[in-house]
Amino acid sequence: PGGRERKRERRGSWSSAWSGGRKKRGRPCLPDPPALHDPNASAEDVQRALAVAARRKHNREAAKRRRANAKQEVVHAWDEVARLKAQHTGLQDLLIQLRGRYRKAVRKLV
């Protein structure tokens, strides 16, 4: 008892198990409001449904842009990290050189 549930838990959530193993991101995309497909819907219901559908589309596109911008920011941050690491290495080398010069100068004075 419980053996199958354990195997499924190891693979991931139920939704990812049924979607071919691919994890979905966030909430599922909702279908168009029913008033768009109902021939008996009033003009006001259709207008409201169109507004809801347009808002959902806008939100999906905005979320896609936000995710792309976030990825770009991460790439830029890693580039900055690499640049700072290189600068740090250069400064460490300079410090070693300056210490050597300082020690030579002190030996000459003594």
Side-chain angles (χ1 to χ4, degrees):
R4 285 187 177 171
E5 285 79 23
R6 280 193 214 124
K7 285 182 182 178
R8 282 193 182 125
E9 286 173 4
R10 277 188 235 131
R11 275 190 259 146
S13 68
W14 283 95
S15 64
S16 66
W18 299 119
S19 64
R22 188 178 125 253
K23 283 198 169 194
K24 292 188 175 185
R25 181 181 184 99
R27 289 175 23 195
C29 185
L30 296 173
D32 287 336
L36 290 178
H37 306 291
D38 184 10
N40 298 327
S42 68
E44 185 179 299
D45 289 340
V46 171
Q47 283 296 350
R48 226 178 295 131
L50 284 172
V52 167
R55 188 73 206 152
R56 286 178 182 168
K57 180 180 178 187
H58 177 268
N59 286 346
R60 282 192 304 272
E61 291 168 354
K64 186 188 281 188
R65 283 191 304 272
R66 281 192 299 271
R67 287 191 299 271
N69 288 341
K71 283 182 183 179
Q72 239 357 68
E73 287 177 12
V74 168
V75 168
H76 289 307
W78 279 111
D79 290 345
E80 182 74 6
V81 166
R83 187 188 67 76
L84 290 172
K85 281 183 178 181
Q87 182 182 9
H88 179 68
T89 303
L91 290 172
Q92 283 180 326
D93 293 343
L94 179 62
L95 177 64
I96 290 169
Q97 290 174 4
L98 292 175
R99 276 186 183 154
R101 288 184 194 169
Y102 174 76
R103 287 185 181 137
K104 270 187 183 177
V106 168
R107 280 189 214 130
K108 283 184 183 179
L109 291 176
V110 175

